[in-house]
Amino acid sequence: MTHIPPPDLRPADARFSSGPTKKRPGWNLHALEGALLGRSHRSKAGKAKLKEAIDRTRSVLGVPSDFKIAIVPASDTGAIEMAMWSMLGACSVDVFAWESFGEEWVTDAVEQLRLVDCRIHVGRPYGVLPDLSLARVTADIIFAQNGTTSGVKIPNFDWIPAHRQGITFNDATSAVFAQPIDWSKCDVVTFSWQKVLGGEAAHGMLVLSPRAVARLENYVPPRPLPKIFRMTKGGKLHHELFEGATINTPSLLATEDYLDALKWAERLGGLAALQGRADGNAQVLRDWVARTAWVDFLVSDPTIRSNTSVCLKVVDERVTSLPEGTQAEFAKNLTTLLEKERVALDAASYRSAPPGLRLWCGATVEKSDLQLLTPWLDWAFFTCLEALDMDMRR
């Protein structure tokens, strides 16, 4: 049995959660001093703050000028569901899913909306994509660009027909600001503040192409729409929603925090710099996995491996030969030990994913912290293995 001592150095920040994610480097409460607290979000100043968040989002992401951007309720879930409820049903639908949240959109499409001619394409097991070539030119297409709970991303947008008749719905919440988005292939893009830029939760972002706007204005869905889903008035787009007005009351404290994150991204060098940091962070884990026998990526194909939510599995035969329940307990003990030592918080895989590790590598994480973490991962594994061996000998 290999016994190794604990490393001498700890990561400066142990927060590797996949959402809410770590705040930007150097963040403190002083970043919120400009928050418009105690003021109406409908005041001139309140609307100006919300409009600034929209404008800076457009600038950092390079969203085309003819696309509309709105701040909406209920995080990414609210954004994607208000789009689905408002737009789906006009034509056939293809839903592609390969992780927990994508499968929620399958449930929405099949069990809640009960769409006609709705084809479901699910990647099984965790760590693989469904056959993206099955996307129909005539259909609306729903997918998550990056599977937060599986560590699987799409390799590119080439599989989406350029001459499509339907519209595309891209749940990009763990991809945006870290992976390229081909705006010519996306009609609805949604994300939340608490993912790649480390903002606060509860608010979603909804980005609509001209084709998506046309769908809203020319299609009346055969279902009741609650207030928080309504984006049109009198058959026309509710333009104020995309200029700083909101459907319900937003948190201006959270808005200030999102603005701070966007300003940090601008100082850093914009989108390319954010993507570069995520790529560099993910490379640290790629290099470590390449030289470490006991661990591997949940995703075997490197071309579809996430650079944000990196999912890992134990492949050591001394663990994989055990019953599934014991393997799950081993993974739980591993992440508990990492948390006890304050070297990796919230590092467990998602509750419905295979047991293992999930480490966030987005731009707000420092590369040096990941470099200091990997020796602790080795130490934790062999410590847990030692404890397992002792238990089996009793």
Side-chain angles (χ1 to χ4, degrees):
M1 180 66 61
T2 303
H3 177 80
I4 60 175
D8 294 327
L9 299 176
R10 284 175 165 78
D13 197 313
R15 288 173 290 184
F16 297 100
S17 168
S18 291
T21 61
K22 176 184 175 293
K23 311 297 286 185
R24 66 159 174 86
W27 184 94
N28 58 48
L29 288 173
H30 293 297
L32 305 179
E33 288 179 350
L36 203 69
L37 303 182
R39 293 292 308 278
S40 170
H41 61 291
R42 295 187 178 91
S43 67
K44 183 177 180 181
K47 285 184 178 180
K49 285 284 188 181
L50 296 164
K51 181 65 162 54
E52 182 184 357
I54 289 171
D55 291 344
R56 289 185 184 273
T57 298
R58 184 184 301 278
S59 175
V60 173
L61 287 178
V63 178
S65 60
D66 58 349
F67 279 52
K68 303 293 185 180
I69 305 175
I71 298 169
V72 301
S75 193
D76 176 66
T77 298
I80 190 72
E81 289 195 323
M82 69 187 295
M84 291 176 65
W85 254 250
S86 299
M87 299 184 204
L88 291 179
C91 63
S92 305
V93 180
D94 286 327
V95 187
F96 294 87
W98 48 89
E99 52 94 47
S100 301
F101 290 102
E103 291 178 12
E104 290 292 342
W105 316 147
V106 170
T107 299
D108 284 0
V110 175
E111 298 181 17
Q112 302 300 320
L113 297 176
R114 299 179 182 179
L115 299 170
V116 177
D117 192 13
C118 179
R119 299 183 186 179
I120 306 302
H121 312 278
V122 178
R124 286 285 189 272
Y126 261 71
V128 299
L129 284 173
D131 186 352
L132 299 178
S133 70
L134 296 175
R136 290 174 288 173
V137 174
T138 56
D140 290 340
I141 301 169
I142 303 169
F143 66 98
Q145 181 172 339
N146 185 90
T148 313
T149 65
S150 67
V152 179
K153 67 173 184 178
I154 59 171
N156 51 53
F157 291 82
D158 295 347
W159 57 279
I160 298 175
H163 57 294
R164 64 192 180 279
Q165 297 170 27
I167 60 177
T168 55
F169 297 71
N170 177 5
D171 172 2
T173 197
S174 60
V176 69
F177 298 110
Q179 299 168 14
I181 295 176
D182 185 343
W183 296 102
S184 71
K185 297 293 184 73
C186 296
D187 298 304
V188 176
V189 176
T190 66
F191 62 94
S192 61
W193 293 354
Q194 77 268 22
K195 287 292 184 184
V196 178
L197 288 188
E200 292 304 298
H203 298 79
M205 300 299 288
L206 178 67
V207 185
L208 303 179
S209 75
R211 299 175 79 251
V213 171
R215 170 69 65 83
L216 281 170
E217 294 184 334
N218 293 289
Y219 172 67
V220 178
R223 64 190 70 95
L225 291 180
K227 178 182 176 181
I228 61 170
F229 285 1
R230 298 173 202 155
M231 291 180 276
T232 59
K233 283 187 175 182
K236 294 295 182 182
L237 189 72
H238 180 20
H239 287 281
E240 288 186 0
L241 178 61
F242 301 88
E243 293 293 328
T246 54
I247 294 173
N248 70 334
T249 306
S251 165
L252 292 176
L253 186 65
T255 300
E256 194 67 30
D257 187 65
Y258 180 54
L259 284 170
D260 173 74
L262 290 167
K263 291 173 184 177
W264 168 74
E266 292 165 353
R267 294 194 301 272
L268 196 68
L271 188 58
L274 294 172
Q275 293 173 349
R277 282 177 66 93
D279 288 341
N281 287 340
Q283 187 62 49
V284 171
L285 294 182
R286 282 195 290 270
D287 293 342
W288 171 69
V289 169
R291 63 177 185 267
T292 304
W294 66 265
V295 70
D296 203 355
F297 292 101
L298 184 61
V299 182
S300 59
D301 182 353
T303 66
I304 61 171
R305 218 175 265 159
S306 174
N307 64 342
T308 57
S309 53
V310 177
C311 297
L312 303 166
K313 61 182 178 180
V314 176
V315 295
D316 191 288
E317 193 174 71
R318 289 166 289 186
V319 177
T320 58
S321 61
L322 299 171
E324 287 187 7
T326 308
Q327 292 184 51
E329 187 66 22
F330 183 90
K332 180 180 178 180
N333 293 340
L334 182 64
T335 55
T336 299
L337 183 56
L338 293 169
E339 185 150 345
K340 180 181 177 182
E341 292 292 332
R342 305 294 294 180
V343 293
L345 306 177
D346 308 318
S349 55
Y350 190 69
R351 60 180 180 267
S352 60
L357 296 167
R358 181 173 60 151
L359 299 168
W360 186 258
C361 290
T364 60
V365 172
E366 296 283 24
K367 185 178 180 180
S368 56
D369 283 334
L370 283 160
Q371 291 169 331
L372 290 171
L373 173 63
T374 54
W376 281 99
L377 297 178
D378 288 324
W379 171 81
F381 170 76
F382 286 109
T383 299
C384 289
L385 199 63
E386 208 172 7
L388 178 65
D389 183 64
M390 291 176 63
D391 287 342
M392 295 180 69
R393 290 175 182 272
R394 287 174 185 165

